[in-house]
Amino acid sequence: METRSSPKLRRLRCSVQKYDWGRRGAESRVAKLFALNSGAEADPDRPYAEFWMGTHGSGPSFLLPAGCGNGGHKVSPDVTLKAWISSNPDVLGDKVVDEWGCDLPFLFKELKQVLCDVPEIAELVGSTDVEKFIKLGEQEVEKAKCLLQSIFTKLMSASADIVALAVSQIKSRLELEGQVRPLTDKEQLVLRLEKQYPADVGVISAFFLNYVRLNPGEALYLGANEPHAYVSGECIECMATSDNVVRAGLTPKTKDIQTLCSMLTYKQGFPDILKGVPLKTYITRYIPPFDEFEVDRCVLPKGSSAVFSAVLGPSIFLVTDGEGTINVGSVKQDVVAEGYVLFVPANVEIHVTSVTELHVYRAGVNDRFLKSRELENGKKSQI
């Protein structure tokens, strides 16, 4: 497929993460997007977990060389997006450079009843803290956090043999109870996890977490130091660029229990489900309370058009379904299709037209932050 690129846009070849929890090649949407994006064949026997778009060192994106959709602008075959941005910082916009330097700040990768209903937890961690926690009043938030940290630390620090026994007891009890009553969604989840990760402490940890099912078009955000795990399905994830990952369970990778238990927030409650804010026809914006990023979702019916207004910071565009064209102003159009990833500099308006139904996601620096910085700089210049 021949494409003609605007000099403003840079098509990217991105990286894939083959974590053990990913879906196998033939079943993985991540593998399909990676194959379409890179031209490499997916290994049907390997797990494909995450398709990374950004400047993270563990999964960098590369600019495609001339003749691959960069409008004739010569680019060496192995130039990373991060290196190219470092040489062209103007593409980020002044506000982003001032705050984060020459890099992208984003990477486009109730409990009391539970403790009563799961006796194996009290047996494992000891009944004293559990009984204190159950007796707490609703206003004793800080005491609850301290006790919850103590309970969770004892759980995570338990020996492998003790954990394996507790998991086995939970499994046996739930299988028996499932014959006389419907199991809850979380109880069914625990049995599913036990099949995948037998004797893993993460199976028990699931009782401490919310079980959230998202419908298409819904999103949620997680703050720093809040544990999470993807159970099934595929999604678009955006996060602040960071290497600060501490694992708890449900993985063969190294776990840092002491750091994990000391860093968690131990907040209780159910996360907010974001429906998104209608930005304009066909475009919905998801705005977390973080400066580093926001995400736009665009679903274009066949033969329709949409405009992504120019913003003060850089963006990455991902096409997950369909085929269409993208152009900048009067510049000739780029043909785009499933698996295409584009870097868009600051202050560039993008026009998108669909040939078939087209699904496009945009990740960029939070517009609220950019506008607040612009306002601050405007006030300073008036003084």
Side-chain angles (χ1 to χ4, degrees):
M1 181 184 296
E2 182 180 356
T3 64
R4 297 178 180 270
S5 285
S6 156
K8 296 280 189 181
L9 306 182
R10 294 292 183 269
R11 189 176 165 197
L12 305 178
R13 173 172 57 83
C14 302
S15 298
V16 70
Q17 302 294 352
K18 299 176 182 178
Y19 302 139
D20 288 343
W21 53 263
R23 288 187 174 185
R24 300 288 163 179
E27 303 173 344
S28 172
R29 185 68 177 280
V30 169
K32 183 179 180 182
L33 287 173
F34 171 68
L36 290 168
N37 173 260
S38 66
E41 290 187 9
D43 185 340
D45 298 321
R46 293 292 300 276
Y48 288 80
E50 297 178 349
F51 184 48
W52 281 21
M53 297 151 279
T55 56
H56 198 291
S58 298
S61 296
F62 297 85
L63 271 70
L64 290 181
C68 296
N70 277 317
H73 292 261
K74 293 184 178 180
V75 178
S76 299
D78 294 313
V79 173
T80 65
L81 176 60
K82 184 171 185 176
W84 181 78
I85 288 175
S86 295
S87 300
N88 301 272
D90 57 299
V91 301
L92 299 179
D94 295 340
K95 311 301 181 296
V96 173
V97 174
D98 290 345
E99 182 70 14
W100 291 290
C102 295
D103 199 3
L104 295 182
F106 59 87
L107 177 67
F108 195 44
K109 191 203 123 342
E110 309 289 30
L111 189 57
K112 284 186 179 181
Q113 192 61 45
V114 167
L115 294 176
C116 291
D117 293 343
V118 187
E120 294 84 2
I121 294 178
E123 292 175 12
L124 192 155
V125 304
S127 59
T128 302
D129 282 348
V130 172
E131 290 174 358
K132 287 181 180 178
F133 185 84
I134 291 173
K135 293 177 181 178
L136 285 177
E138 292 184 5
Q139 305 303 319
E140 297 179 282
V141 177
E142 293 306 315
K143 286 185 179 179
K145 287 183 179 181
C146 291
L147 283 171
L148 185 53
Q149 180 174 4
S150 176
I151 292 169
F152 191 72
T153 300
K154 289 176 181 177
L155 168 65
M156 299 302 297
S157 303
S159 69
D161 290 342
I162 292 176
V163 169
L165 177 61
V167 171
S168 176
Q169 290 173 337
I170 291 172
K171 175 188 175 184
S172 298
R173 177 174 59 80
L174 291 181
E175 288 177 341
L176 286 173
E177 292 183 9
Q179 297 175 19
V180 295
R181 68 170 176 88
L183 297 180
T184 66
D185 287 346
K186 185 171 285 189
E187 288 172 334
Q188 294 178 47
L189 169 64
V190 165
L191 290 178
R192 283 175 54 195
L193 294 177
E194 190 279 333
K195 288 182 179 179
Q196 292 179 266
Y197 301 94
D200 192 294
V201 70
V203 176
I204 306 176
S205 299
F207 285 112
F208 289 77
L209 305 179
N210 291 303
Y211 183 28
V212 184
R213 289 182 175 178
L214 295 178
N215 296 311
E218 293 182 338
L220 60 79
Y221 65 86
L222 295 168
N225 301 332
E226 293 181 1
H228 66 279
Y230 293 107
V231 178
S232 63
E234 292 167 313
C235 67
I236 298 294
E237 179 186 15
C238 191
M239 59 177 285
T241 301
S242 171
D243 278 321
N244 298 328
V245 177
V246 182
R247 299 175 185 88
L250 305 180
T251 175
K253 293 188 176 183
T254 303
K255 308 176 188 71
D256 187 344
I257 301 303
Q258 184 176 358
T259 299
L260 171 77
C261 293
S262 65
M263 66 184 274
L264 299 182
T265 63
Y266 298 101
K267 292 192 300 185
Q268 298 184 69
F270 199 81
D272 293 329
I273 304 299
L274 304 181
K275 302 291 185 180
V277 178
L279 201 61
K280 53 181 68 177
T281 306
Y282 306 127
I283 300 178
T284 302
R285 175 164 291 175
Y286 301 86
I287 310 172
F290 314 126
D291 292 341
E292 289 87 350
F293 61 87
E294 65 189 13
V295 175
D296 292 342
R297 177 177 185 253
C298 177
V299 178
L300 275 180
K302 179 180 179 180
S304 301
S305 297
V307 176
F308 288 86
S309 301
V311 294
L312 298 172
S315 301
I316 286 182
F317 281 70
L318 165 67
V319 180
T320 61
D321 289 281
E323 184 178 330
T325 58
I326 286 182
N327 70 293
V328 179
S330 59
V331 178
K332 290 184 178 180
Q333 296 176 329
D334 290 270
V335 175
V336 294
E338 182 180 1
Y340 273 51
V341 181
L342 298 171
F343 174 83
V344 178
N347 305 306
V348 174
E349 184 177 85
I350 296 294
H351 297 250
V352 183
T353 301
S354 59
V355 175
T356 63
E357 181 174 283
L358 187 67
H359 292 217
V360 179
Y361 290 85
R362 170 198 160 267
V365 178
N366 195 308
D367 193 50
R368 179 185 61 245
F369 164 79
L370 293 171
K371 288 179 177 177
S372 67
R373 279 307 172 92
E374 185 178 42
L375 181 61
E376 289 176 9
N377 291 339
K379 290 179 177 179
K380 290 178 182 177
S381 65
Q382 294 173 13
I383 296 175

